[in-house]
Amino acid sequence: MEKILVIGPASQMLGVRIRRELRIKSVNTETKTFPDGENYLRINIDDETVIKNKEVIIIQSMGPSARGNQNARFLELLMMIESVKIMGAAKTIIIVPYLAYARQDKSFRIGECTFAKNILKIINSLGIDEFFTVDIHNPKVLEELSCKAINIDSMSILAEYIKSRGAKDIVVVSPDKGAIERSKAFARHFGENVPVDYFDKKRDVKTGEITMKGQLSLKNRDVIIADDIIATGGTMAQAIKIAKENGANKVFAVATHALMLQQATYRILDAGADEIVGTDSIDNEMAKVSLAKAIANYL
Ligand code: R5P
């Protein structure tokens, strides 16, 4: 079956790279916001045979940016899915490299919902055939989908990039204990005996304020601090500060989804990072590593 890629407004760079990897045709979208604040999206085609009876792959990340917040990104995704269904797509494959709301996977306080699940339930209700995401905060929420769902791992490509930057005597540090297994898996990409350690991070569930402690032996080691998301940079900045106090040499701040909100870049560099590394799941200047090949391999 012929494939066609629909590139959503939040994944222009990655979308075109995937199209080149797959050597298939792509179409983009036209978006606007109505005067009353409602979102509008149409797939930029004049003839529905472009979509009809095709295997349609839709890519749309959901990171907030000056061009659109995550709520708009989500609505645009739903609009793209519905449009291709109306036009008679034979198969619908959805790629959401960064899934917004994924951190709301648990109810931390009475009265909260677990909205990560609902985001997926809503996508699922549109009748999709396959769903791909990358390093989702909690893979368990993918169980809400009744179709094939894959969480793509970006660790090996991030590791390749860091090796190319000449990091040596590496220690991988997890900014919180909960992410230690992920950090261990990441460390294996740098060699068998690369040490892994973690900081003790606590977040006040009411204020969101972070506190972090840790006594690690990092003297003269290049330290890689790996997280799934950099949002405001608070977590990374605290981890970097402690790493530096513990004698770290170079520090790489690495995240699959480097959202870089507010003063994140300043906070992380000011804390002592030598480099911030993200992927093109988010279309910004930290996107030094492309997910295109990794995603294309699944398609
Ligand atoms: C939280 O559990 C995530 O894994 C990240 O540590 C968090 O999203 C980072 O947020 P921020 O950059 O605002 O500290």
Side-chain angles (χ1 to χ4, degrees), residues 98 103 105 108 137 175-176 179 201 203 208 210 212 226-237 257 259-262 264 267-268:
Y98 170 69
R103 287 178 291 177
D105 60 325
F108 298 93
H137 187 67
D176 79 64
K201 169 180 156 183
R203 193 184 282 273
I210 299 163
M212 204 182 276
D227 210 345
D228 57 339
I229 301 166
I230 296 175
T232 64
T235 303
M236 271 292 174
H257 313 291
L259 306 180
M260 311 313 292
L261 308 175
Q262 301 166 6
R267 291 172 94 175
I268 294 172

PDB file of all heavy atoms in Angstrom, residues 98 103 105 108 137 175-176 179 201 203 208 210 212 226-237 257 259-262 264 267-268, ligand 1:
ATOM      1  N   TYR A  98       6.825  13.729  21.260  1.00  0.00           N
ATOM      2  CA  TYR A  98       6.666  14.166  22.649  1.00  0.00           C
ATOM      3  C   TYR A  98       5.180  14.224  22.951  1.00  0.00           C
ATOM      4  O   TYR A  98       4.434  14.974  22.313  1.00  0.00           O
ATOM      5  CB  TYR A  98       7.285  15.557  22.862  1.00  0.00           C
ATOM      6  CG  TYR A  98       6.930  16.145  24.218  1.00  0.00           C
ATOM      7  CD1 TYR A  98       7.439  15.589  25.391  1.00  0.00           C
ATOM      8  CD2 TYR A  98       6.052  17.218  24.336  1.00  0.00           C
ATOM      9  CE1 TYR A  98       7.094  16.090  26.638  1.00  0.00           C
ATOM     10  CE2 TYR A  98       5.701  17.739  25.584  1.00  0.00           C
ATOM     11  CZ  TYR A  98       6.232  17.165  26.727  1.00  0.00           C
ATOM     12  OH  TYR A  98       5.882  17.660  27.961  1.00  0.00           O
ATOM     13  N   ARG A 103       3.347  13.594  31.971  1.00  0.00           N
ATOM     14  CA  ARG A 103       3.779  13.627  33.373  1.00  0.00           C
ATOM     15  C   ARG A 103       2.595  13.563  34.337  1.00  0.00           C
ATOM     16  O   ARG A 103       2.781  13.325  35.518  1.00  0.00           O
ATOM     17  CB  ARG A 103       4.616  14.886  33.648  1.00  0.00           C
ATOM     18  CG  ARG A 103       6.010  14.782  33.031  1.00  0.00           C
ATOM     19  CD  ARG A 103       6.821  16.033  33.256  1.00  0.00           C
ATOM     20  NE  ARG A 103       6.286  17.152  32.486  1.00  0.00           N
ATOM     21  CZ  ARG A 103       6.770  18.384  32.542  1.00  0.00           C
ATOM     22  NH1 ARG A 103       7.795  18.654  33.326  1.00  0.00           N
ATOM     23  NH2 ARG A 103       6.250  19.346  31.809  1.00  0.00           N
ATOM     24  N   ASP A 105       0.594  11.323  34.996  1.00  0.00           N
ATOM     25  CA  ASP A 105       0.297   9.893  34.887  1.00  0.00           C
ATOM     26  C   ASP A 105      -0.228   9.320  36.192  1.00  0.00           C
ATOM     27  O   ASP A 105      -0.646   8.172  36.250  1.00  0.00           O
ATOM     28  CB  ASP A 105       1.569   9.134  34.459  1.00  0.00           C
ATOM     29  CG  ASP A 105       2.703   9.318  35.458  1.00  0.00           C
ATOM     30  OD1 ASP A 105       2.830  10.420  36.044  1.00  0.00           O
ATOM     31  OD2 ASP A 105       3.460   8.364  35.679  1.00  0.00           O
ATOM     32  N   PHE A 108      -1.360  12.783  42.302  1.00  0.00           N
ATOM     33  CA  PHE A 108      -0.446  13.026  43.413  1.00  0.00           C
ATOM     34  C   PHE A 108      -1.179  13.596  44.631  1.00  0.00           C
ATOM     35  O   PHE A 108      -0.733  13.469  45.749  1.00  0.00           O
ATOM     36  CB  PHE A 108       0.681  13.990  42.982  1.00  0.00           C
ATOM     37  CG  PHE A 108       1.530  13.433  41.871  1.00  0.00           C
ATOM     38  CD1 PHE A 108       1.237  13.716  40.538  1.00  0.00           C
ATOM     39  CD2 PHE A 108       2.606  12.594  42.151  1.00  0.00           C
ATOM     40  CE1 PHE A 108       2.012  13.184  39.511  1.00  0.00           C
ATOM     41  CE2 PHE A 108       3.378  12.062  41.129  1.00  0.00           C
ATOM     42  CZ  PHE A 108       3.078  12.354  39.808  1.00  0.00           C
ATOM     43  N   HIS A 137       7.186   9.510  29.349  1.00  0.00           N
ATOM     44  CA  HIS A 137       7.497   9.613  30.784  1.00  0.00           C
ATOM     45  C   HIS A 137       7.150   8.322  31.532  1.00  0.00           C
ATOM     46  O   HIS A 137       7.948   7.831  32.325  1.00  0.00           O
ATOM     47  CB  HIS A 137       6.742  10.807  31.370  1.00  0.00           C
ATOM     48  CG  HIS A 137       7.113  11.086  32.782  1.00  0.00           C
ATOM     49  ND1 HIS A 137       8.363  11.529  33.141  1.00  0.00           N
ATOM     50  CD2 HIS A 137       6.413  10.953  33.933  1.00  0.00           C
ATOM     51  CE1 HIS A 137       8.413  11.665  34.454  1.00  0.00           C
ATOM     52  NE2 HIS A 137       7.246  11.321  34.949  1.00  0.00           N
ATOM     53  N   PRO A 175      18.878  12.324  37.619  1.00  0.00           N
ATOM     54  CA  PRO A 175      18.478  13.413  38.523  1.00  0.00           C
ATOM     55  C   PRO A 175      17.473  12.985  39.582  1.00  0.00           C
ATOM     56  O   PRO A 175      17.184  13.728  40.497  1.00  0.00           O
ATOM     57  CB  PRO A 175      17.874  14.460  37.583  1.00  0.00           C
ATOM     58  CG  PRO A 175      17.490  13.712  36.366  1.00  0.00           C
ATOM     59  CD  PRO A 175      18.377  12.510  36.259  1.00  0.00           C
ATOM     60  N   ASP A 176      16.916  11.788  39.437  1.00  0.00           N
ATOM     61  CA  ASP A 176      16.125  11.277  40.577  1.00  0.00           C
ATOM     62  C   ASP A 176      16.117   9.762  40.558  1.00  0.00           C
ATOM     63  O   ASP A 176      16.378   9.128  39.526  1.00  0.00           O
ATOM     64  CB  ASP A 176      14.724  11.921  40.644  1.00  0.00           C
ATOM     65  CG  ASP A 176      13.717  11.352  39.693  1.00  0.00           C
ATOM     66  OD1 ASP A 176      13.400  10.162  39.843  1.00  0.00           O
ATOM     67  OD2 ASP A 176      13.240  12.095  38.827  1.00  0.00           O
ATOM     68  N   ALA A 179      14.377   7.480  37.982  1.00  0.00           N
ATOM     69  CA  ALA A 179      14.852   7.332  36.602  1.00  0.00           C
ATOM     70  C   ALA A 179      16.150   6.521  36.531  1.00  0.00           C
ATOM     71  O   ALA A 179      16.797   6.472  35.487  1.00  0.00           O
ATOM     72  CB  ALA A 179      15.057   8.721  35.986  1.00  0.00           C
ATOM     73  N   LYS A 201      15.930  13.483  44.539  1.00  0.00           N
ATOM     74  CA  LYS A 201      15.115  14.665  44.198  1.00  0.00           C
ATOM     75  C   LYS A 201      13.731  14.552  44.827  1.00  0.00           C
ATOM     76  O   LYS A 201      13.109  13.500  44.783  1.00  0.00           O
ATOM     77  CB  LYS A 201      14.979  14.740  42.675  1.00  0.00           C
ATOM     78  CG  LYS A 201      13.948  15.749  42.168  1.00  0.00           C
ATOM     79  CD  LYS A 201      13.897  15.726  40.630  1.00  0.00           C
ATOM     80  CE  LYS A 201      12.582  16.206  40.085  1.00  0.00           C
ATOM     81  NZ  LYS A 201      12.486  16.135  38.623  1.00  0.00           N
ATOM     82  N   ARG A 203       9.970  16.710  44.923  1.00  0.00           N
ATOM     83  CA  ARG A 203       9.202  17.843  44.411  1.00  0.00           C
ATOM     84  C   ARG A 203       7.991  18.052  45.322  1.00  0.00           C
ATOM     85  O   ARG A 203       7.270  17.099  45.619  1.00  0.00           O
ATOM     86  CB  ARG A 203       8.733  17.564  42.975  1.00  0.00           C
ATOM     87  CG  ARG A 203       8.203  18.801  42.271  1.00  0.00           C
ATOM     88  CD  ARG A 203       7.651  18.463  40.901  1.00  0.00           C
ATOM     89  NE  ARG A 203       8.627  18.272  39.851  1.00  0.00           N
ATOM     90  CZ  ARG A 203       9.134  19.253  39.100  1.00  0.00           C
ATOM     91  NH1 ARG A 203       8.780  20.487  39.313  1.00  0.00           N
ATOM     92  NH2 ARG A 203       9.994  18.967  38.137  1.00  0.00           N
ATOM     93  N   GLY A 208       5.397  22.666  43.596  1.00  0.00           N
ATOM     94  CA  GLY A 208       6.222  22.226  42.458  1.00  0.00           C
ATOM     95  C   GLY A 208       7.710  22.453  42.714  1.00  0.00           C
ATOM     96  O   GLY A 208       8.553  22.105  41.892  1.00  0.00           O
ATOM     97  N   ILE A 210      11.512  22.099  43.824  1.00  0.00           N
ATOM     98  CA  ILE A 210      12.373  20.898  43.849  1.00  0.00           C
ATOM     99  C   ILE A 210      13.468  21.068  44.895  1.00  0.00           C
ATOM    100  O   ILE A 210      14.070  22.134  45.009  1.00  0.00           O
ATOM    101  CB  ILE A 210      13.083  20.733  42.493  1.00  0.00           C
ATOM    102  CG1 ILE A 210      12.079  20.566  41.373  1.00  0.00           C
ATOM    103  CG2 ILE A 210      14.053  19.579  42.493  1.00  0.00           C
ATOM    104  CD1 ILE A 210      12.733  20.821  40.017  1.00  0.00           C
ATOM    105  N   MET A 212      17.073  18.824  46.064  1.00  0.00           N
ATOM    106  CA  MET A 212      17.891  17.704  45.602  1.00  0.00           C
ATOM    107  C   MET A 212      19.137  17.578  46.468  1.00  0.00           C
ATOM    108  O   MET A 212      19.716  18.596  46.855  1.00  0.00           O
ATOM    109  CB  MET A 212      18.301  17.983  44.162  1.00  0.00           C
ATOM    110  CG  MET A 212      18.620  16.754  43.377  1.00  0.00           C
ATOM    111  SD  MET A 212      19.142  17.201  41.735  1.00  0.00           S
ATOM    112  CE  MET A 212      17.629  17.379  40.903  1.00  0.00           C
ATOM    113  N   ALA A 226      21.080  12.617  32.575  1.00  0.00           N
ATOM    114  CA  ALA A 226      20.096  12.245  31.551  1.00  0.00           C
ATOM    115  C   ALA A 226      18.690  12.245  32.140  1.00  0.00           C
ATOM    116  O   ALA A 226      18.448  11.681  33.202  1.00  0.00           O
ATOM    117  CB  ALA A 226      20.435  10.861  31.017  1.00  0.00           C
ATOM    118  N   ASP A 227      17.787  12.900  31.444  1.00  0.00           N
ATOM    119  CA  ASP A 227      16.383  12.952  31.885  1.00  0.00           C
ATOM    120  C   ASP A 227      15.502  12.790  30.653  1.00  0.00           C
ATOM    121  O   ASP A 227      15.971  12.954  29.529  1.00  0.00           O
ATOM    122  CB  ASP A 227      16.119  14.304  32.576  1.00  0.00           C
ATOM    123  CG  ASP A 227      15.043  14.197  33.646  1.00  0.00           C
ATOM    124  OD1 ASP A 227      14.324  13.195  33.674  1.00  0.00           O
ATOM    125  OD2 ASP A 227      14.927  15.141  34.453  1.00  0.00           O
ATOM    126  N   ASP A 228      14.221  12.490  30.858  1.00  0.00           N
ATOM    127  CA  ASP A 228      13.348  12.405  29.681  1.00  0.00           C
ATOM    128  C   ASP A 228      12.950  13.798  29.182  1.00  0.00           C
ATOM    129  O   ASP A 228      12.863  14.027  27.975  1.00  0.00           O
ATOM    130  CB  ASP A 228      12.098  11.538  29.965  1.00  0.00           C
ATOM    131  CG  ASP A 228      11.278  12.026  31.150  1.00  0.00           C
ATOM    132  OD1 ASP A 228      11.818  12.750  32.003  1.00  0.00           O
ATOM    133  OD2 ASP A 228      10.082  11.678  31.229  1.00  0.00           O
ATOM    134  N   ILE A 229      12.752  14.721  30.113  1.00  0.00           N
ATOM    135  CA  ILE A 229      12.256  16.060  29.745  1.00  0.00           C
ATOM    136  C   ILE A 229      13.069  17.139  30.453  1.00  0.00           C
ATOM    137  O   ILE A 229      13.383  17.004  31.643  1.00  0.00           O
ATOM    138  CB  ILE A 229      10.772  16.211  30.195  1.00  0.00           C
ATOM    139  CG1 ILE A 229       9.889  15.137  29.540  1.00  0.00           C
ATOM    140  CG2 ILE A 229      10.235  17.613  29.894  1.00  0.00           C
ATOM    141  CD1 ILE A 229       8.513  15.000  30.160  1.00  0.00           C
ATOM    142  N   ILE A 230      13.421  18.190  29.728  1.00  0.00           N
ATOM    143  CA  ILE A 230      13.831  19.433  30.398  1.00  0.00           C
ATOM    144  C   ILE A 230      12.671  20.385  30.156  1.00  0.00           C
ATOM    145  O   ILE A 230      12.337  20.685  29.003  1.00  0.00           O
ATOM    146  CB  ILE A 230      15.118  20.039  29.798  1.00  0.00           C
ATOM    147  CG1 ILE A 230      16.319  19.113  29.995  1.00  0.00           C
ATOM    148  CG2 ILE A 230      15.386  21.414  30.429  1.00  0.00           C
ATOM    149  CD1 ILE A 230      17.601  19.604  29.307  1.00  0.00           C
ATOM    150  N   ALA A 231      12.054  20.847  31.225  1.00  0.00           N
ATOM    151  CA  ALA A 231      10.958  21.826  31.065  1.00  0.00           C
ATOM    152  C   ALA A 231      11.516  23.198  31.449  1.00  0.00           C
ATOM    153  O   ALA A 231      12.084  23.886  30.618  1.00  0.00           O
ATOM    154  CB  ALA A 231       9.759  21.402  31.888  1.00  0.00           C
ATOM    155  N   THR A 232      11.441  23.551  32.714  1.00  0.00           N
ATOM    156  CA  THR A 232      11.985  24.857  33.139  1.00  0.00           C
ATOM    157  C   THR A 232      13.481  24.794  33.415  1.00  0.00           C
ATOM    158  O   THR A 232      14.101  25.817  33.703  1.00  0.00           O
ATOM    159  CB  THR A 232      11.296  25.327  34.433  1.00  0.00           C
ATOM    160  OG1 THR A 232      11.631  24.382  35.473  1.00  0.00           O
ATOM    161  CG2 THR A 232       9.797  25.419  34.280  1.00  0.00           C
ATOM    162  N   GLY A 233      14.035  23.603  33.418  1.00  0.00           N
ATOM    163  CA  GLY A 233      15.468  23.443  33.666  1.00  0.00           C
ATOM    164  C   GLY A 233      15.831  23.391  35.144  1.00  0.00           C
ATOM    165  O   GLY A 233      17.004  23.237  35.494  1.00  0.00           O
ATOM    166  N   GLY A 234      14.825  23.468  36.021  1.00  0.00           N
ATOM    167  CA  GLY A 234      15.096  23.468  37.471  1.00  0.00           C
ATOM    168  C   GLY A 234      15.774  22.179  37.928  1.00  0.00           C
ATOM    169  O   GLY A 234      16.759  22.209  38.683  1.00  0.00           O
ATOM    170  N   THR A 235      15.277  21.048  37.450  1.00  0.00           N
ATOM    171  CA  THR A 235      15.838  19.751  37.848  1.00  0.00           C
ATOM    172  C   THR A 235      17.291  19.656  37.393  1.00  0.00           C
ATOM    173  O   THR A 235      18.192  19.324  38.183  1.00  0.00           O
ATOM    174  CB  THR A 235      15.009  18.608  37.210  1.00  0.00           C
ATOM    175  OG1 THR A 235      13.653  18.765  37.611  1.00  0.00           O
ATOM    176  CG2 THR A 235      15.528  17.243  37.594  1.00  0.00           C
ATOM    177  N   MET A 236      17.512  19.945  36.118  1.00  0.00           N
ATOM    178  CA  MET A 236      18.869  19.852  35.566  1.00  0.00           C
ATOM    179  C   MET A 236      19.825  20.803  36.289  1.00  0.00           C
ATOM    180  O   MET A 236      20.944  20.429  36.637  1.00  0.00           O
ATOM    181  CB  MET A 236      18.863  20.227  34.083  1.00  0.00           C
ATOM    182  CG  MET A 236      18.619  19.095  33.172  1.00  0.00           C
ATOM    183  SD  MET A 236      19.996  17.923  33.181  1.00  0.00           S
ATOM    184  CE  MET A 236      19.285  16.662  32.151  1.00  0.00           C
ATOM    185  N   ALA A 237      19.378  22.052  36.499  1.00  0.00           N
ATOM    186  CA  ALA A 237      20.265  23.051  37.094  1.00  0.00           C
ATOM    187  C   ALA A 237      20.714  22.597  38.485  1.00  0.00           C
ATOM    188  O   ALA A 237      21.903  22.699  38.824  1.00  0.00           O
ATOM    189  CB  ALA A 237      19.572  24.401  37.161  1.00  0.00           C
ATOM    190  N   HIS A 257      13.436  15.204  25.322  1.00  0.00           N
ATOM    191  CA  HIS A 257      12.508  16.292  24.990  1.00  0.00           C
ATOM    192  C   HIS A 257      12.966  17.562  25.722  1.00  0.00           C
ATOM    193  O   HIS A 257      12.615  17.775  26.887  1.00  0.00           O
ATOM    194  CB  HIS A 257      11.085  15.919  25.413  1.00  0.00           C
ATOM    195  CG  HIS A 257      10.676  14.536  24.989  1.00  0.00           C
ATOM    196  ND1 HIS A 257      10.459  14.202  23.670  1.00  0.00           N
ATOM    197  CD2 HIS A 257      10.482  13.394  25.703  1.00  0.00           C
ATOM    198  CE1 HIS A 257      10.127  12.920  23.593  1.00  0.00           C
ATOM    199  NE2 HIS A 257      10.138  12.407  24.820  1.00  0.00           N
ATOM    200  N   LEU A 259      12.358  20.896  26.200  1.00  0.00           N
ATOM    201  CA  LEU A 259      11.328  21.920  25.930  1.00  0.00           C
ATOM    202  C   LEU A 259      11.877  23.336  26.112  1.00  0.00           C
ATOM    203  O   LEU A 259      11.407  24.274  25.467  1.00  0.00           O
ATOM    204  CB  LEU A 259      10.117  21.729  26.855  1.00  0.00           C
ATOM    205  CG  LEU A 259       9.452  20.354  26.888  1.00  0.00           C
ATOM    206  CD1 LEU A 259       8.276  20.358  27.863  1.00  0.00           C
ATOM    207  CD2 LEU A 259       8.955  19.941  25.512  1.00  0.00           C
ATOM    208  N   MET A 260      12.825  23.485  27.011  1.00  0.00           N
ATOM    209  CA  MET A 260      13.521  24.766  27.256  1.00  0.00           C
ATOM    210  C   MET A 260      12.546  25.917  27.506  1.00  0.00           C
ATOM    211  O   MET A 260      12.530  26.917  26.800  1.00  0.00           O
ATOM    212  CB  MET A 260      14.473  25.103  26.092  1.00  0.00           C
ATOM    213  CG  MET A 260      15.384  23.989  25.673  1.00  0.00           C
ATOM    214  SD  MET A 260      16.245  23.138  27.019  1.00  0.00           S
ATOM    215  CE  MET A 260      17.348  24.380  27.618  1.00  0.00           C
ATOM    216  N   LEU A 261      11.719  25.756  28.555  1.00  0.00           N
ATOM    217  CA  LEU A 261      10.732  26.789  28.876  1.00  0.00           C
ATOM    218  C   LEU A 261      11.335  27.853  29.788  1.00  0.00           C
ATOM    219  O   LEU A 261      12.281  27.591  30.517  1.00  0.00           O
ATOM    220  CB  LEU A 261       9.527  26.141  29.567  1.00  0.00           C
ATOM    221  CG  LEU A 261       8.921  24.951  28.817  1.00  0.00           C
ATOM    222  CD1 LEU A 261       7.822  24.303  29.622  1.00  0.00           C
ATOM    223  CD2 LEU A 261       8.402  25.390  27.455  1.00  0.00           C
ATOM    224  N   GLN A 262      10.723  29.007  29.740  1.00  0.00           N
ATOM    225  CA  GLN A 262      11.153  30.143  30.570  1.00  0.00           C
ATOM    226  C   GLN A 262      12.663  30.379  30.421  1.00  0.00           C
ATOM    227  O   GLN A 262      13.156  30.520  29.320  1.00  0.00           O
ATOM    228  CB  GLN A 262      10.732  29.928  32.025  1.00  0.00           C
ATOM    229  CG  GLN A 262       9.220  29.777  32.169  1.00  0.00           C
ATOM    230  CD  GLN A 262       8.815  29.244  33.515  1.00  0.00           C
ATOM    231  OE1 GLN A 262       9.614  29.064  34.428  1.00  0.00           O
ATOM    232  NE2 GLN A 262       7.530  28.970  33.658  1.00  0.00           N
ATOM    233  N   ALA A 264      15.137  28.261  31.027  1.00  0.00           N
ATOM    234  CA  ALA A 264      15.818  26.965  31.184  1.00  0.00           C
ATOM    235  C   ALA A 264      17.254  26.990  30.661  1.00  0.00           C
ATOM    236  O   ALA A 264      18.176  26.477  31.313  1.00  0.00           O
ATOM    237  CB  ALA A 264      15.021  25.866  30.491  1.00  0.00           C
ATOM    238  N   ARG A 267      19.466  28.898  33.088  1.00  0.00           N
ATOM    239  CA  ARG A 267      19.638  28.197  34.369  1.00  0.00           C
ATOM    240  C   ARG A 267      20.625  27.034  34.239  1.00  0.00           C
ATOM    241  O   ARG A 267      21.469  26.815  35.099  1.00  0.00           O
ATOM    242  CB  ARG A 267      18.297  27.617  34.830  1.00  0.00           C
ATOM    243  CG  ARG A 267      17.300  28.650  35.232  1.00  0.00           C
ATOM    244  CD  ARG A 267      15.967  27.997  35.483  1.00  0.00           C
ATOM    245  NE  ARG A 267      15.799  27.663  36.890  1.00  0.00           N
ATOM    246  CZ  ARG A 267      14.671  27.170  37.373  1.00  0.00           C
ATOM    247  NH1 ARG A 267      13.652  26.924  36.593  1.00  0.00           N
ATOM    248  NH2 ARG A 267      14.560  26.902  38.654  1.00  0.00           N
ATOM    249  N   ILE A 268      20.515  26.294  33.146  1.00  0.00           N
ATOM    250  CA  ILE A 268      21.343  25.094  32.989  1.00  0.00           C
ATOM    251  C   ILE A 268      22.788  25.477  32.681  1.00  0.00           C
ATOM    252  O   ILE A 268      23.732  24.917  33.268  1.00  0.00           O
ATOM    253  CB  ILE A 268      20.742  24.177  31.895  1.00  0.00           C
ATOM    254  CG1 ILE A 268      19.397  23.642  32.380  1.00  0.00           C
ATOM    255  CG2 ILE A 268      21.686  23.039  31.534  1.00  0.00           C
ATOM    256  CD1 ILE A 268      18.600  22.888  31.340  1.00  0.00           C
TER     257      ILE A 268
HETATM  258  C1  R5P B   1       9.949  14.699  35.907  1.00  0.00           C
HETATM  259  O1  R5P B   1       9.675  13.687  36.530  1.00  0.00           O
HETATM  260  C2  R5P B   1      10.683  14.694  34.616  1.00  0.00           C
HETATM  261  O2  R5P B   1      11.331  13.482  34.391  1.00  0.00           O
HETATM  262  C3  R5P B   1      11.681  15.852  34.534  1.00  0.00           C
HETATM  263  O3  R5P B   1      12.659  15.671  35.554  1.00  0.00           O
HETATM  264  C4  R5P B   1      10.993  17.161  34.726  1.00  0.00           C
HETATM  265  O4  R5P B   1       9.936  17.258  33.830  1.00  0.00           O
HETATM  266  C5  R5P B   1      11.916  18.330  34.508  1.00  0.00           C
HETATM  267  O5  R5P B   1      11.211  19.520  34.738  1.00  0.00           O
HETATM  268  P1  R5P B   1      11.981  20.888  35.002  1.00  0.00           P
HETATM  269  O6  R5P B   1      12.940  21.084  33.877  1.00  0.00           O
HETATM  270  O7  R5P B   1      10.913  21.946  35.021  1.00  0.00           O
HETATM  271  O8  R5P B   1      12.648  20.759  36.329  1.00  0.00           O
END
